[in-house]
Amino acid sequence: MRADAITYKDYNAYSMLYLYHPFRKEIMRQVVANIHSSISAREQEMLVIYNNPVCHELIIKDGVFCKQREYPDGWGNGIFVYSNKNLQHSRLHRSLS
């Protein structure tokens, strides 16, 4: 199946997304807006794993996601993990226990 990242809106079907700086900022802005609107009424948690988080500010901009974890990578870019739940209600919190 082939889909256009700018028009795809069915992110609610997923519980986790992995991104490796996939788009330039203009496209990423539209994709993140689609992710936010797709999961706005979502009750379950969604995680976004973003390797080389060049557009970090777009992910957290509207307050839908907050950065919960940060990990180093082998190239110095870093990997950020975001959740649409606060840490107390995230499965990331449970993984630390």
Side-chain angles (χ1 to χ4, degrees), residues 12-69:
N12 202 34
Y14 301 96
S15 63
M16 190 177 301
L17 300 173
Y18 176 82
L19 307 171
Y20 191 116
H21 183 51
F23 313 109
R24 63 184 190 272
K25 193 171 189 172
E26 301 79 32
I27 294 173
M28 187 68 160
R29 182 177 290 111
Q30 294 172 303
V31 169
V32 169
N34 289 344
I35 293 169
H36 288 180
S37 65
S38 178
I39 68 162
S40 64
R42 183 185 180 108
E43 299 224 1
Q44 67 264 38
E45 182 175 31
M46 176 181 274
L47 298 178
V48 176
I49 302 164
Y50 190 6
N51 193 335
N52 191 17
V54 173
C55 295
H56 161 75
E57 76 283 349
L58 295 176
I59 302 287
I60 63 169
K61 179 181 166 226
D62 294 328
V64 175
F65 288 99
C66 57
K67 184 174 87 169
Q68 302 290 1
R69 299 277 186 276

